[in-house]
Amino acid sequence: MIQKFSFSIQNRNNITSLSIYLFLIVFTVILIYPFIWMALSSLKSSREIFLSPFSFPKKLRISNYFEAWKRCSFGVALRNSVLVSAGSVLPIVFFSSLAAYPIARMKFSGRVFILIFLIIGHMIPLQVVMIPLAIELKNLHLMNTLLGLILPLIAKGIPLTLIVLVGFFQDIPLEIEDAAKIDGCSEFGIFWKIILPLSKPALSATLIFQIMFTWNEFLLPLVVIRRRAVMTIPLAVQAFTGQDFVEWEYRFAALTLAIIPIVVAYFLFQRQFVRGLTFGALKE
Amino acid sequence: MRSLNKIAKNLIPYFFLLPALGILVGINLFPIIWNVYFSFFDASLLRPTHKIFVGFNNYLEMIKDPVIRLCLRNTLIWTFGSASLQLLIGLTLALVLNQRLPGRGFLRGMALFSWIIPAAMAAIMWGWLLHGELGLINDVLMKLGLIHTRYVWLGDPVTAMISLIIVNVWRLSPLFMIVFLAALQSIPPVLYEAAKIDGASTWHSFRYLTLPLLKPTMGLIFVLGSIWTCNSIDIIYILTGGGPGNETQIFATYAYNQAFKSLRLGYPGAISILMIAFLTLLAVIYLILVKEEIK
C-alpha cells in the first residue's frame, strides 16, 4: 500500500517535470531559433537559403558580411549610432539626476504637479507630437542632422530616468545630508559629492537602459533623417534590406550585423539590465 | 538682505529642475499645444504657414472616416490582445522558472534577448520568417503536415493581425516573465510553509496565496504593456504598413501615414489628439494603481 502510494507520487512528478521541460524547450526554441536561422542564412548563398533553410551552410561565406557592410554603409551608420546614443544618454542621466534631487529631498510648491507632468510625459509617446516636432526641427534647421535626433531623444528619456532616480534618492537617509550641511556644504555640493556617488547602481542601470532605448529608436530617425550619411543603424539596415534588388544573403548579413552590438552589450552588462528592471524601472 | 537670501534659497529647487523641465516643455509640452492648434486648420505639411482655419472640420472628418473606425477596432485588438497574451504567457513562464531547475539561469539570461534588440530589426526578421516563399514558418508547418501550400500570412486581414500580435507577444512576454519572477521571489517562503502545514495543496496555495499577492504586479504590467503596445509603431509599420488595405491600421500608424505620406497637417493632428485622450485614460488608470501600490 505504502509502496504503491509513493510510486504514484513519483510517477506524477516525472510526468510534471517532463512536461515542464518540454514546455521550456519549446519556449527556448521559439525564442532563440529565429536568430540561429538568421545567422546561418547570413553565411549561405541565396540558393541555399531557399532550398535548404534548416541546414548548416555548406561553405561559410564570411564575404557576405564584407559585402553587406560596404553596400549598407554600415561603418557610417555605426558611427552615427554611437554619436547619437552617447550624445543623448549623458544629458539624460545628468539632467534627470539634477531634477530628481529636489523632487526626492526638498519641499517646494509645485512638486506634485511636476511629478504628475512627468508621469504623463512618460506615457505620451513621441509620435503624437511628431508633426509639430518635425516643423519645429525644420525651423531650427535640424532636419537631417544628428542633433535633430539627440534633442528629442533627451526629452524622451528624461521622464522614466527621473522617476527611477527619484525613487532611489528618496531611500538615501537624510542624516547624511544634515552632517554635510553643518560642515558648510552647499546644496549642489551635497548633490555632487554625496548623493551622486551613493547612487552609482541606479545611475549605471538607468544609463544602460537609455543606451539601449536610444540605440534601438526607429520612428524618430524615420521622420527626421532622409540622407544616408546621417542614418543610424536601425534605419540604415531597414532601408538596405527593404530594397527588392538586394540579394537575400546580404540582407541577412546586414540584419545580423545590426543585432550584434546590442547583443554583445547585453552579455557584458547583463546584471545591470536585470537589476534595472527589478529596480522599479517598471514599477514606478 | 535676509529676505533676499530667503528668496534665493526658495529658488534652489527650481535651478535643479530647470534643464530637465526646459527640454520637456520645449519638446513635449509645446508641440502638444501646437498640435491642438493645428487640428483646427487644414494645410500641407510642406508649407505649414499657408493654412486655412477650418474649425471642427477635422474632427467631423474623423467621425465620417471609415478608416478611423477600423483604427479603433484594430488599436483595441492589437493593444489588449497583445497585453493579455503577454500577461498569460509571462506569468506561466515565471511560475515554471521560479522552481529550482537546472539551466534556469541560462534561460533567464536568454529570455530578454527578444526585447533588447531593436523592435524594427525584430520586425524585419519576422517579416522574413512569415514570408511566402522564403518563410521558415511555412516550412515548419508543411513539415508538420498542418498546411499543404505556402501561405502569405501578411496578405490576409485576419492572419496579418494575428501575425502582428504574435510578433509583439514574442518580443515582450519574456520581459513580463522577468517582472513576474521578481515579484514571485519577493514573496516570503514562510507563507508557503505555513500553508503547507495547514494542509493546502499546490493549487490552493497558488490560488489563495500566489495569485492575490501578484495581483498588483499584474495590474501594473498589464496597463504598462498596453501603453507600450498602443504606442509601438515599428512592428506594424515594417510588417504590413497598416495593410492589406487598412485592415491592420492603428491610430499611431494612420496618423503617421496621414502626416508623412499624404503630407497633411491638420487631420493627423486631430488623430493625435484622440490618441492623447486614449493614452491619458490609460495613464490615469496607471496612476490609480500606483497609488494603491504605495498605500
Side-chain angles (χ1 to χ4, degrees), chain A residues 21 109 127-128 216 266 284, chain B residues 14 35 102 109 116 228 231 286:
Chain A
Y21 272 105
S109 47
Q127 67 251 34
V128 300
N216 290 353
Y266 174 65
E284 264 84 2
Chain B
Y14 301 102
N35 225 345
I116 52 155
W228 291 333
N231 290 342
Y286 174 75

Side-chain angles (χ1 to χ4, degrees), chain B residues 239-259:
Chain B
L239 285 179
T240 66
N246 281 310
E247 292 294 327
T248 57
Q249 204 77 265
I250 60 168
F251 284 122
T253 53
Y254 191 49
Y256 176 87
N257 283 344
Q258 284 292 317

Side-chain angles (χ1 to χ4, degrees), chain B residues 52-128:
Chain B
I52 310 155
F53 181 76
V54 293
F56 283 95
N57 271 8
N58 285 322
Y59 292 92
L60 290 175
E61 190 183 337
M62 232 161 40
I63 296 169
K64 286 182 203 139
D65 187 350
V67 181
I68 287 289
R69 250 162 284 158
L70 275 180
C71 287
L72 180 64
R73 184 199 71 185
N74 293 338
T75 306
L76 291 176
I77 295 175
W78 160 251
T79 306
F80 296 118
S82 300
S84 332
L85 281 173
Q86 281 152 2
L87 189 81
L88 203 69
I89 296 173
L91 182 61
T92 314
L93 284 170
L95 287 170
V96 171
L97 277 189
N98 197 35
Q99 298 164 34
R100 279 204 195 84
L101 298 165
R104 182 174 79 160
F106 169 78
L107 272 176
R108 214 173 355 179
M110 295 304 246
L112 287 175
F113 232 71
S114 60
W115 178 63
I116 52 155
I117 65 163
M121 301 297 102
I124 293 175
M125 186 173 81
W126 274 91
W128 298 345

Side-chain angles (χ1 to χ4, degrees), chain B residues 7 15 26 38 49 84 92 123-124 188 193 218 233:
Chain B
I7 290 171
F15 283 120
F38 279 148
T49 42
S84 332
T92 314
I124 293 175
E193 281 155 27
M218 279 158 76
I233 179 171

Side-chain angles (χ1 to χ4, degrees), chain A residues 101-102 105-107 173-191 193-195, chain B residues 9 12-13 16:
Chain A
Y101 176 62
R105 308 178 72 87
M106 293 181 192
K107 280 196 188 110
L174 277 169
E175 290 79 43
I176 295 176
E177 215 170 285
D178 294 336
K181 257 182 200 154
I182 293 164
D183 292 344
C185 205
S186 70
E187 287 287 357
F188 187 78
I190 294 170
F191 165 73
K193 286 186 201 141
I194 297 172
I195 302 294
Chain B
K9 212 174 169 215
I12 287 175
F16 278 96

Side-chain angles (χ1 to χ4, degrees), chain A residues 269-283:
Chain A
F269 299 106
Q270 203 175 341
R271 266 188 45 214
Q272 280 90 334
F273 262 106
V274 178
R275 199 201 287 158
L277 278 176
T278 42
F279 246 146
L282 299 155
K283 222 178 87 195

